[in-house]
Amino acid sequence: MIRALSICSLGPSRIGLTCWYSGISSSMAADNIPEAKSKLRLEIKKKVKELTEEDKIKQTFIITKRLIKHPDFQNAERIAIYVNMKNEVGTYDILKEAFAGNKQVFIPLVVGEDMKMVKLNSFEDLKTMPKTKWGIIQPLESDNREDCLVTGGVQYVVVPGVAFTSTGLRLGHGRGYYDRFLAKNDQIRGSRCITVGLGFDEQIVQDLPTTERDFRLTWVVSPGMCSLTSKYEEVPEPLPRPPEPFLI
């Protein structure tokens, strides 16, 4: 059952909440949840698309600084990280930091309806990879890279999404890749891994239409909201302009 009517997003000013009504009924039947999710995806994607490149870079910079300071990230030895598309929080600096910390790094390889997390040898390794028709950098299937599920799984996964709540609910792109991967990973490890969702402020909402099949993230990080920890060192303003996170 879906739990809320309104969707609230932290705007770029970080002051207060910007709310709009999605037309979703709290008594919605389970078979209407896919329709509600589709409508939400369109609304959130439109808001993200309207962000300037400068704002996406600034928000990515803040998110990255918060993430890499946290002990869960620093202590993880095997970590899976998505490679961002144009309208997603950038992950290139997180990948660089993971290699700087001598972590074993895995990135998604989608083949049909299946998603593997395969070994990335170095940040420079990304430059050898092609882009899919969706503009996502990923290895070739013929590369025969290490599959993390074959070698024990991963402890920590940085997860993309369309929308998130502060309590860890996530709205994905609708293909279920991460749901299936995380279930397999946890089964292999025998315990839950740490999952972290990264979102622009415009992607943080009050509630989401979910079912019992939707997993809940361990943490969610955006510039205006950080559920990683109740207290963190603030990034000073004005922010220095960070490197472009969307291009190699």
Side-chain angles (χ1 to χ4, degrees), residues 8-12 14 44-45 47-49 51-63 82 84-91 161-164 197-205 220-225 245-246:
C8 298
S9 171
L10 283 159
R14 328 289 191 241
I44 300 296
K45 286 180 179 180
K47 283 189 167 288
V48 172
K49 191 175 181 179
L51 288 171
T52 66
E53 292 302 304
E54 183 176 1
D55 196 32
K56 285 187 285 187
I57 290 170
K58 181 177 179 178
Q59 292 198 47
T60 289
F61 182 63
I62 296 170
I63 290 165
Y82 72 90
N84 66 274
M85 297 187 289
K86 181 179 179 181
N87 288 321
E88 291 179 327
V89 173
T91 56
V162 177
F164 306 92
L198 309 183
F200 298 120
D201 280 336
E202 290 71 16
Q203 294 176 274
I204 306 303
V205 300
V220 176
V221 189
S222 80
M225 186 275 309
F246 305 108

Side-chain angles (χ1 to χ4, degrees), residues 37-38 41 45 82 85 87-88 134 136 159-164 170-179 203:
K37 288 184 175 183
S38 295
R41 287 188 187 100
K45 286 180 179 180
Y82 72 90
M85 297 187 289
N87 288 321
E88 291 179 327
W134 297 284
I136 305 171
V159 183
V162 177
F164 306 92
R170 168 185 175 268
L171 177 67
H173 292 278
R175 302 300 296 271
Y177 292 127
Y178 278 86
D179 302 79
Q203 294 176 274

Side-chain angles (χ1 to χ4, degrees), residues 80-148:
I81 308 175
Y82 72 90
V83 181
N84 66 274
M85 297 187 289
K86 181 179 179 181
N87 288 321
E88 291 179 327
V89 173
T91 56
Y92 291 168
D93 285 340
I94 299 172
L95 286 163
K96 290 177 182 177
E97 191 69 23
F99 283 115
N102 296 314
K103 302 181 189 303
Q104 296 182 58
V105 180
F106 299 83
I107 61 172
L109 169 60
V110 175
V111 181
E113 296 301 312
D114 186 40
M115 182 184 75
K116 301 177 182 178
M117 289 290 180
V118 298
K119 190 74 173 285
L120 183 66
N121 299 313
S122 67
F123 184 77
E124 295 295 313
D125 194 13
L126 282 175
K127 296 181 180 180
T128 69
M129 299 178 188
K131 286 187 177 181
T132 68
K133 62 182 179 181
W134 297 284
I136 305 171
I137 294 174
Q138 72 170 25
L140 295 171
E141 188 178 8
S142 58
D143 285 352
N144 195 30
R145 293 171 180 265
E146 177 187 338
D147 180 343
C148 79

Side-chain angles (χ1 to χ4, degrees), residues 65-67 69-71 219-221 225-235:
K65 290 300 182 185
R66 290 181 178 170
L67 180 76
K69 288 177 183 178
H70 197 270
W219 314 115
V220 176
V221 189
M225 186 275 309
C226 180
S227 69
L228 276 169
T229 177
S230 59
K231 188 175 183 179
Y232 52 83
E233 182 183 347
E234 288 287 357
V235 178

